Amino acid sequence: LTQRPTDGSFPPSRDLSLRDFPDHGFEPQMAPATARTRPGPPVRPRWMLRPVDESKARHLSAGLGLHPAVGRLLAGRGFTGQDDCRAFFAPRLAALRDPFELLDMDRAVQRTVAALRAGEKIGVFGDYDVDGVSSTALMVLTLRFLGTEPVVFIPHRIHDGYGMSTQRVEELATQGVRLLITVDTGTSSAAEIRRAGELGMEVIVTD
């Protein structure tokens, strides 16, 4: 993996180590530094699997008819029973947690309902990764179902970079957005949210 700049230019890139991704679940065993610096093809890491309870992994894979590697993944993720695994593979809406357990969900719903009733323009500021795009789609479909056509923006990975940007917030304001809902972004965007407030927008952060 390489890290690219957000302005579209491509100076020499910085190689990203797996240590930049602490939740990957594996620990690489790298070749000695002297070997990595010699000319030749790049040295690939040798993967060392995280230790798991092998008996539990075999129990899950055998009972569910899964490949042993999938059983190890499930055991490594903390699954202990076959019923929990079945619920994971075949989720149901009835099994979802109550959304009002989220902090200030009641205030977010009240403000959104008020915007819908007043005919205010609602904007949705999403994210470009998988969960960002899918959750943005869910938000937009829900708002359309409720009778409004939101203004939607998903950042371009190269041109916009990660997270909210003041420029895009200002553009949404020029389109008449009065309520801005972020989806999978916004937690660390205090300056951008402050700017939205200066432009007359209220912001609901879901991240």
Side-chain angles (χ1 to χ4, degrees):
L1 294 174
T2 57
Q3 179 173 322
R4 299 293 190 183
T6 59
D7 59 2
S9 61
F10 288 88
S13 59
R14 178 178 76 86
D15 289 337
L16 289 180
S17 164
L18 285 170
R19 295 179 181 86
D20 292 307
F21 304 93
D23 296 327
H24 54 73
F26 300 94
E27 290 297 331
Q29 179 175 326
M30 302 298 293
T34 54
R36 295 201 303 271
T37 56
R38 288 199 298 265
V43 178
R44 297 185 179 278
R46 286 189 303 170
W47 297 104
M48 299 176 64
L49 299 181
R50 175 184 294 170
V52 300
D53 186 328
E54 296 293 345
S55 62
K56 185 181 300 181
R58 287 193 297 270
H59 171 72
L60 293 176
S61 59
L64 297 169
L66 301 172
H67 191 280
V70 179
R72 293 188 91 262
L73 287 171
L74 290 170
R77 291 293 182 116
F79 287 91
T80 57
Q82 296 179 13
D83 290 340
D84 291 337
C85 294
R86 291 190 182 95
F88 175 74
F89 286 122
R92 302 177 57 191
L93 289 176
L96 291 177
R97 299 280 294 271
D98 184 349
F100 283 90
E101 293 179 12
L102 295 173
L103 181 65
D104 289 335
M105 177 60 79
D106 54 340
R107 296 175 60 191
V109 170
Q110 292 169 8
R111 180 63 185 89
T112 304
V113 170
L116 291 167
R117 288 175 173 169
E120 293 179 300
K121 180 67 72 175
I122 299 176
V124 178
F125 201 117
D127 194 18
Y128 54 71
D129 58 9
V130 172
D131 55 329
V133 172
S134 56
S135 54
T136 299
L138 286 171
M139 180 66 72
V140 170
L141 290 173
T142 300
L143 290 172
R144 286 175 176 170
F145 176 79
L146 294 172
T148 190
E149 183 61 39
V151 179
V152 186
F153 177 75
I154 294 178
H156 188 285
R157 180 178 180 272
I158 301 300
H159 299 152
D160 296 299
Y162 175 78
M164 300 177 69
S165 67
T166 300
Q167 176 186 348
R168 299 305 186 181
V169 168
E170 292 173 345
E171 290 175 0
L172 290 169
T174 63
Q175 298 179 64
V177 171
R178 307 301 296 174
L179 175 63
L180 180 60
I181 303 175
T182 76
V183 184
D184 194 38
T185 189
T187 298
S188 59
S189 303
E192 291 78 9
I193 294 173
R194 189 180 306 112
R195 179 57 177 155
E198 293 171 354
L199 296 170
M201 287 187 281
E202 290 189 83
V203 182
I204 296 174
V205 177
T206 66
D207 193 359

